[in-house]
Amino acid sequence: MIYYGGEEFYKSFKQAEQEKKNIVTSTYKDEFGTWITVLSPITNSSGKVVAILGVDIDASAIYIYQKRLIVALAVAFTILFTFIIVIQDWGLRRLMSPLGELVEGIQAVSQGKFDVKLTYEDDSELGNVHTRFNEMTERLQQLFQQVSATKEQLNVETNFNHSKDGIAKAIDELEVIMEKTRMQKELQRAEKMNAIGQLAASVAHEIRNPMTVVKGFLQLFQDNTKLSNTELSYIHLMINEMDRAEAIIHDYLSLAKPDVHQHRFINCLECITSLVDLLSSYALLTNNILIELDAKEEMYVRGSRNELNQILLNIMKNGIEAMRAGGTLRVGLYKREGQVHIQIEDTGIGMTSEQVNRLGTAFYSLKEKGTGIGLMVSYQLVEQMNGRIEVESIPGKGSTFTLIFPSYD
């Protein structure tokens, strides 16, 4: 039969004839269907193409196979996707369940329910978080039980906004307890200072007169030329001890003496500079101590200049005496957040936190012959000037005393 092929067929036919090699057509259609044809040239002994063998393949079968393959792949992907969704949902449920429990626990704690316990436990990071959460709630429960017990002991009445609950209310109660405790400590300290002041006044007046008489006679004996050098040294030692006793009595009287000075504006730079000049030689000769001054700007506080000098002198001498093997005493004057900071830092023996907390109390001193009255008076005078003293100390490295006063510029 005569076959009239399409354009694709004859194009491939001519290519196979000219190139003398097998040619595969692309998919084409004719009146008999959809085909793919392989054309293979046949040559004679001289290499001339004498015929072309064509083999037709029904392309519709390939399309059917492709459709079946696409359908199979779609079904496989659907099954795989569904499996992944199921596994992911299971994993998320397993992950979100302990997270949800943790969120519920946090909400309970925020409402003041500290007895909540999380049940999820394993060796994962999430299990570790649950364990730490349970430890935290247990400690919070113990803390606020102690707060409630302290509240009952101090007979504290709290009138808070009822809209507050949980931790906010507990923290408010804790602040009230801390404030009342601070006020009680201040009251106790004031009562103690008053008692010590009254005792100091009565004792000092009773002792000062006989001591004056004794010291006068000792000074007369010191002028006696018939005494030996040994006897004169004894008398000189007794006079020195009498002077030290008078200094202690003077400190006691400072506690009992009311503040009758008229407060004025004090130039802190002038006070510090004059005291450093005064103590530099004493410090160098005492323990080979160098005093460094870091003060350039004039700053003013309100109070008594004599009392400020007394405060600074006490603290600076204590710092010098704390450096038994030499060192450096640094004195600085700064302004921070609208307040005047006078900082006195030594490189001496330092103090423990317990020793720092006891500073300023009566009869407590780290010096061998100290009474603690000088520093106690300093604390009292600083409070009268509406200031405060902050102490930082490290045993073996030194101490830093910071006097903080309101600034008046």
Side-chain angles (χ1 to χ4, degrees), residues 2-222:
I2 298 175
Y3 174 68
Y4 295 96
E7 181 180 355
E8 180 66 26
F9 177 85
Y10 283 111
K11 178 182 177 182
S12 300
F13 184 90
K14 290 293 183 180
Q15 185 179 359
E17 181 183 10
Q18 294 173 359
E19 297 180 4
K20 299 179 181 180
K21 64 179 183 179
N22 297 336
I23 300 297
V24 180
T25 67
S26 58
T27 304
Y28 64 93
K29 292 183 178 181
D30 61 9
E31 56 183 319
F32 302 106
T34 304
W35 307 95
I36 296 176
T37 302
V38 178
L39 299 171
S40 178
I42 300 173
T43 59
N44 58 14
S45 58
S46 61
K48 182 180 178 180
V49 176
V50 295
I52 293 179
L53 175 64
V55 180
D56 297 328
I57 301 173
D58 189 355
S60 60
I62 298 176
Y63 286 145
I64 294 172
Y65 176 77
Q66 288 178 341
K67 290 180 180 179
R68 290 177 180 176
L69 180 61
I70 291 172
V71 171
L73 288 175
V75 172
F77 276 116
T78 302
I79 295 173
L80 180 61
F81 184 73
T82 303
F83 179 75
I84 292 174
I85 291 296
V86 171
I87 294 297
Q88 187 178 19
D89 182 68
W90 175 80
L92 287 175
R93 287 179 181 274
R94 184 173 181 182
L95 177 64
M96 294 304 295
S97 177
L99 285 177
E101 186 183 11
L102 179 61
V103 171
E104 291 176 358
I106 293 173
Q107 291 176 347
V109 170
S110 66
Q111 296 172 0
K113 300 175 183 178
F114 304 120
D115 56 347
V116 61
K117 294 294 180 183
L118 303 183
T119 58
Y120 181 80
E121 292 182 1
D122 63 9
D123 295 332
S124 66
E125 293 294 331
L126 192 57
N128 189 31
V129 171
H130 279 222
T131 302
R132 295 290 181 268
F133 180 86
N134 289 336
E135 293 176 357
M136 178 195 72
T137 55
E138 184 176 354
R139 292 178 182 175
L140 284 173
Q141 188 175 9
Q142 294 174 357
L143 172 64
F144 286 105
Q145 284 175 353
Q146 294 176 356
V147 170
S148 299
T150 306
K151 177 183 173 182
E152 294 177 0
Q153 184 179 359
L154 295 176
N155 193 22
V156 176
E157 295 182 0
T158 54
N159 297 317
F160 297 127
N161 186 354
H162 294 291
S163 62
K164 290 186 176 181
D165 57 2
I167 292 182
K169 184 177 179 180
I171 290 176
D172 287 343
E173 291 182 351
L174 184 60
E175 290 178 351
V176 172
I177 291 172
M178 292 175 64
E179 180 64 21
K180 186 163 185 177
T181 303
R182 187 188 66 81
M183 292 176 64
Q184 285 187 345
K185 287 183 177 180
E186 290 294 330
L187 182 60
Q188 291 174 356
R189 186 176 181 278
E191 291 176 349
K192 185 186 295 184
M193 292 289 292
N194 184 42
I196 292 174
Q198 294 177 0
L199 177 63
S202 60
V203 172
H205 285 298
E206 293 295 330
I207 294 177
R208 175 173 281 184
N209 290 334
M211 285 184 60
T212 303
V213 175
V214 173
K215 183 179 179 181
F217 280 113
L218 287 174
Q219 289 173 339
L220 289 176
F221 287 140
Q222 191 178 21

Side-chain angles (χ1 to χ4, degrees), residues 159-326:
N159 297 317
F160 297 127
N161 186 354
H162 294 291
S163 62
K164 290 186 176 181
D165 57 2
I167 292 182
K169 184 177 179 180
I171 290 176
D172 287 343
E173 291 182 351
L174 184 60
E175 290 178 351
V176 172
I177 291 172
M178 292 175 64
E179 180 64 21
K180 186 163 185 177
T181 303
R182 187 188 66 81
M183 292 176 64
Q184 285 187 345
K185 287 183 177 180
E186 290 294 330
L187 182 60
Q188 291 174 356
R189 186 176 181 278
E191 291 176 349
K192 185 186 295 184
M193 292 289 292
N194 184 42
I196 292 174
Q198 294 177 0
L199 177 63
S202 60
V203 172
H205 285 298
E206 293 295 330
I207 294 177
R208 175 173 281 184
N209 290 334
M211 285 184 60
T212 303
V213 175
V214 173
K215 183 179 179 181
F217 280 113
L218 287 174
Q219 289 173 339
L220 289 176
F221 287 140
Q222 191 178 21
D223 295 334
N224 191 344
T225 58
K226 296 180 179 180
L227 296 177
S228 64
N229 291 333
T230 303
E231 292 171 335
L232 287 173
S233 65
Y234 290 157
I235 293 175
H236 182 69
L237 178 61
M238 286 187 286
I239 292 175
N240 288 338
E241 290 300 313
M242 293 292 290
D243 290 336
R244 192 169 73 87
E246 284 185 349
I248 294 174
I249 291 174
H250 179 268
D251 288 338
Y252 271 103
L253 287 175
S254 298
L255 291 173
K257 180 177 57 178
D259 182 21
V260 296
H261 299 288
Q262 183 178 2
H263 283 190
R264 298 179 179 177
F265 293 116
I266 310 168
N267 189 330
C268 297
L269 181 61
E270 291 182 359
C271 286
I272 294 175
T273 304
S274 61
L275 283 175
V276 168
D277 293 340
L278 177 65
L279 290 175
S280 291
S281 299
Y282 167 76
L284 191 62
L285 295 175
T286 302
N287 289 325
N288 193 26
I289 295 169
L290 178 66
I291 300 181
E292 295 181 355
L293 177 61
D294 182 13
K296 300 177 182 178
E297 182 182 352
E298 290 187 348
M299 301 178 192
Y300 293 86
V301 298
R302 188 173 179 83
S304 169
R305 184 185 179 96
N306 291 334
E307 290 179 352
L308 181 60
N309 285 337
Q310 181 180 355
I311 297 167
L312 296 175
L313 187 61
N314 278 335
I315 297 176
M316 291 171 67
K317 284 189 65 178
N318 287 342
I320 292 171
E321 293 170 0
M323 294 181 283
R324 300 168 185 171

